[in-house]
Amino acid sequence: MKTQQQWIEQREAQVIEQRAFLNGEYTAAVDETTLEVVNPATDEIIANIARCKSADVDLAVEYAKRAFKKGEWSKALQHTENLY
C-alpha cells in the first residue's frame, strides 16, 4: 500500500494536458477560455483545461467529416455497402 507521500509524489509527477485534442493536435479552446479542475478532497486547483463550447464541437465535427471523406473510413463504408 502506498503512503500519502507516495501518492503526492505520483500526482506531482503527472502532467495533465490542458488543451483540447482536435484534428490530430492539441489546441486551446476557440474562445481561449479555460476551466479549473478542482480536487474535491482538498479543493486544490490541479489544472486549468480548455473550456470547449459549441464552437469547438462544431470545429471537431467538421474535422471529423473531412477525415471521414478522405480517409480509410469512407473506403470501409463503401465496402460494407456492397455486402448487402
Side-chain angles (χ1 to χ4, degrees):
M1 180 179 259
K2 290 186 180 183
T3 65
Q4 181 179 12
Q5 183 59 37
Q6 288 171 320
W7 282 111
I8 291 170
E9 289 170 5
Q10 181 178 342
R11 182 199 70 208
E12 290 173 351
Q14 293 178 349
V15 176
I16 298 174
E17 178 54 58
Q18 299 180 6
R19 299 167 293 167
F21 191 73
L22 297 174
N23 200 31
E25 62 187 26
Y26 289 102
T27 182
V30 170
D31 65 4
E32 298 189 12
T33 59
T34 59
L35 174 69
E36 290 180 346
V37 178
V38 178
N39 178 339
T42 64
D43 288 331
E44 173 190 12
I45 298 170
I46 58 174
N48 285 291
I49 60 172
R51 185 179 198 133
C52 295
K53 298 177 185 170
S54 61
D56 300 282
V57 173
D58 293 343
L59 188 57
V61 169
E62 181 58 34
Y63 287 142
K65 285 180 183 178
R66 286 185 205 165
F68 181 82
K69 288 178 182 175
K70 72 176 186 177
E72 294 300 317
W73 288 101
S74 60
K75 294 173 190 167
L77 181 61
Q78 290 170 358
H79 173 72
T80 59
E81 288 174 350
N82 293 333
L83 293 176
Y84 301 103

